[in-house]
Amino acid sequence: MKILIVDDFSTMRRIIKNLLRDLGFNNTMEADDGSTALPMLKGGGFDFLITDWNMPNMEGIELLRQVRADPDIKTLPVLMVTAEAKREQIVEAAQAGVNGYIVKPFTAETLKEKIDKIFERIAG
Amino acid sequence: MDNAEERLTTHLALARELVGHLENGDEENARLVIQQLRFPYERELFEELGKLTRELHEALKSFRGDSRLVEITQDEIPDAKERLNYVVTMTEQATHRTLNAVDEGLPIAESLHRRAAALTENWARFRRRELSLDEFRDFAHDLDAFFDATGQETERLRSLMSEIMMAQDFQDLTGQIIGRVLRLVHDLEESLVGLIRLSSGRMAPSEPPGEVATPAVSRDEHERGPTGPAVPNTHDALADVVSGQDDVDALLSSLGF
């Protein structure tokens, strides 16, 4: 299971990386915004994407749309972890095809719960 | 005959006339000629004064019309102060959260260290066959207790470490809030630079005042994209934001998630 973590704050990337390691996901990579993440994802090999929304160059919502528009990676599960808390934004992300949405600040339990739920749905 | 030459001829004629009047002691007529000579320069002065007045009027009008500056002053600076206050509170909370975990964790680590040292000493004595039967019984009892406690206490330490790690999320959240205040400072700077150019428009005539004072990006334009964490007691309160993860889950499940 290879996971890409996308956030413009390196501190948040480290926190998520640590939490994922606690959950048993040791194979993670990092990108600091959508425009660096997209070529990595297109390069293949990723099974899961965790992305922030508010980032320079390419925002998380745009990254999500680009992923869904690419036939090779459009089924990639995407979990958004963001401080964006407007209802219209959550609806927007849902319409763009997000698999899960976590608002910051979040807990380790929430991250585990959402990842589990996404995998359950994919399996079921 | 061009204008300059014509003016020269007229001036020369008037000057000769003036000299004539003065030589004749005709002060009244000399004064009239002097007035005639002065007239075109006075007209130029009045025209220039008129132009200045108009420019001043325009400058004042566009200053009043720069609604962005008004918006920033009345609305967004108080809002930004509230955001920075919130950052102070958040960093304070994160620091306390971290220090609390350290306060709890350090004695645990120290106690484990102390007890392990005591056991090591008795273990060495045991290997040298220096322990009496009673001492060995106590030693075995201590070992049991230590093994029990170690499992629990290292687990507690792990969870305290994890608490310290999660407390560091403040850097991302406050970073986003400060980033937003920085954008406001940038807008304010642009508006002020515009204002300074406006008031010194005559010194830099290459840039007409009207064009320099382009207002910076309005707040509405900023709000269209992502805005970072919602801060209490600011404009964020007006937006329809969720109050936490439970709200997000409820909204998503209403959408069929």
Side-chain angles (χ1 to χ4, degrees):
Chain A
M1 173 68 59
K2 193 171 167 191
I3 303 177
L4 183 64
I5 306 162
V6 190
D7 199 307
D8 53 333
F9 280 84
S10 62
T11 47
M12 183 47 74
R13 293 201 302 271
R14 283 182 72 176
I15 291 174
I16 294 174
K17 191 184 166 80
N18 267 306
L19 291 172
L20 288 175
R21 202 183 45 216
D22 276 354
L23 296 174
F25 302 109
N26 292 302
N27 193 2
T28 53
M29 286 189 80
E30 300 177 27
D32 60 4
D33 82 325
S35 62
T36 44
L38 195 61
M40 292 170 79
L41 293 169
K42 283 178 189 276
F46 285 99
D47 306 290
F48 202 89
L49 169 64
I50 296 180
T51 182
D52 184 23
W53 183 317
N54 187 7
M55 294 181 290
N57 303 316
M58 192 197 286
E59 292 173 0
I61 189 75
E62 181 58 22
L63 177 64
L64 171 62
R65 292 200 177 102
Q66 299 267 350
V67 167
R68 292 290 176 255
D70 185 319
D72 292 333
I73 50 172
K74 66 175 184 188
T75 58
L76 184 73
V78 179
L79 174 62
M80 206 154 228
V81 180
T82 172
E84 298 306 317
K86 291 197 205 78
R87 283 174 194 279
E88 57 182 65
Q89 289 175 306
I90 299 164
V91 173
E92 192 183 345
Q95 283 164 350
V98 83
N99 297 80
Y101 197 104
I102 295 177
V103 279
K104 296 173 184 172
F106 62 101
T107 62
E109 292 71 39
T110 303
L111 184 68
K112 181 181 177 351
E113 185 191 314
K114 299 305 164 200
I115 291 177
D116 286 349
K117 197 173 163 192
I118 291 171
F119 285 132
E120 269 170 38
R121 281 173 164 267
I122 290 168
Chain B
M1 203 189 262
D2 65 16
N3 273 348
E5 229 173 301
E6 196 177 336
R7 207 165 53 223
L8 197 66
T9 319
T10 320
H11 283 177
L12 201 59
L14 283 169
R16 283 195 183 115
E17 211 179 305
L18 178 64
V19 173
H21 289 314
L22 287 174
E23 276 172 353
N24 293 334
D26 187 349
E27 271 190 41
E28 178 58 27
N29 274 319
R31 206 171 51 81
L32 285 173
V33 175
I34 290 171
Q35 262 181 7
Q36 258 179 295
L37 272 167
R38 232 168 46 192
F39 180 69
Y41 299 103
E42 274 178 0
R43 204 178 53 195
E44 210 171 283
L45 183 72
F46 283 131
E47 273 172 9
E48 192 65 9
L49 202 60
K51 217 167 102 191
L52 261 174
T53 314
R54 263 197 312 279
E55 275 177 21
L56 183 65
H57 179 71
E58 286 302 312
L60 283 173
K61 231 171 65 186
S62 45
F63 173 46
R64 254 181 258 127
D66 187 357
S67 59
R68 179 68 185 129
L69 194 59
V70 176
E71 193 181 55
I72 288 177
T73 325
Q74 293 183 341
D75 220 27
E76 291 183 50
I77 287 186
D79 203 73
K81 276 168 28 191
E82 207 52 60
R83 283 178 207 285
L84 292 180
N85 273 327
Y86 187 64
V87 167
V88 173
T89 311
M90 275 185 92
T91 51
E92 188 187 353
Q93 281 172 355
T95 308
H96 279 306
R97 207 175 146 192
T98 304
L99 292 176
N100 286 345
V102 170
D103 283 350
E104 191 185 334
L106 270 184
I108 297 177
E110 279 160 8
S111 146
L112 281 173
H113 178 77
R114 207 174 41 244
R115 285 152 75 188
L119 288 170
T120 307
E121 198 189 317
N122 277 333
W123 178 247
R125 290 182 59 211
F126 169 72
R127 294 272 297 241
R128 293 197 300 267
R129 297 164 197 279
E130 287 170 11
L131 286 189
S132 69
L133 186 61
D134 278 349
E135 279 176 324
F136 177 75
R137 222 177 263 132
D138 287 345
F139 176 55
H141 183 262
D142 287 351
L143 263 183
D144 277 341
F146 182 71
F147 290 148
D148 262 5
T150 306
Q152 284 168 23
E153 285 173 15
T154 50
E155 173 53 29
R156 184 65 196 144
L157 280 179
R158 197 202 60 79
S159 119
L160 289 170
M161 295 279 190
S162 171
E163 173 79 1
I164 290 173
M165 181 187 73
M166 290 311 289
Q168 309 312 307
D169 70 354
F170 81 93
Q171 205 271 332
D172 171 10
L173 300 171
T174 58
Q176 292 189 56
I177 296 170
I178 292 173
R180 217 175 141 183
V181 174
L182 279 178
R183 282 202 297 277
L184 171 68
V185 172
H186 174 79
D187 283 2
L188 181 63
E189 186 187 6
E190 283 198 343
S191 282
L192 288 178
V193 166
L195 188 63
I196 288 165
R197 286 205 187 133
L198 202 71
S199 58
S200 61
R202 303 248 334 147
M203 283 172 248
S206 55
E207 292 175 284
E211 286 172 38
V212 182
T214 350
V217 186
S218 78
R219 193 182 72 232
D220 289 346
E221 265 166 82
H222 279 325
E223 306 257 302
R224 218 164 285 147
T227 49
V231 178
N233 307 318
T234 66
H235 295 295
D236 298 350
L238 305 174
D240 190 10
V241 294
V242 295
S243 63
Q245 189 62 40
D246 289 346
D247 255 12
V248 178
D249 295 347
L251 177 60
L252 284 178
S253 86
S254 76
L255 295 168
F257 268 69

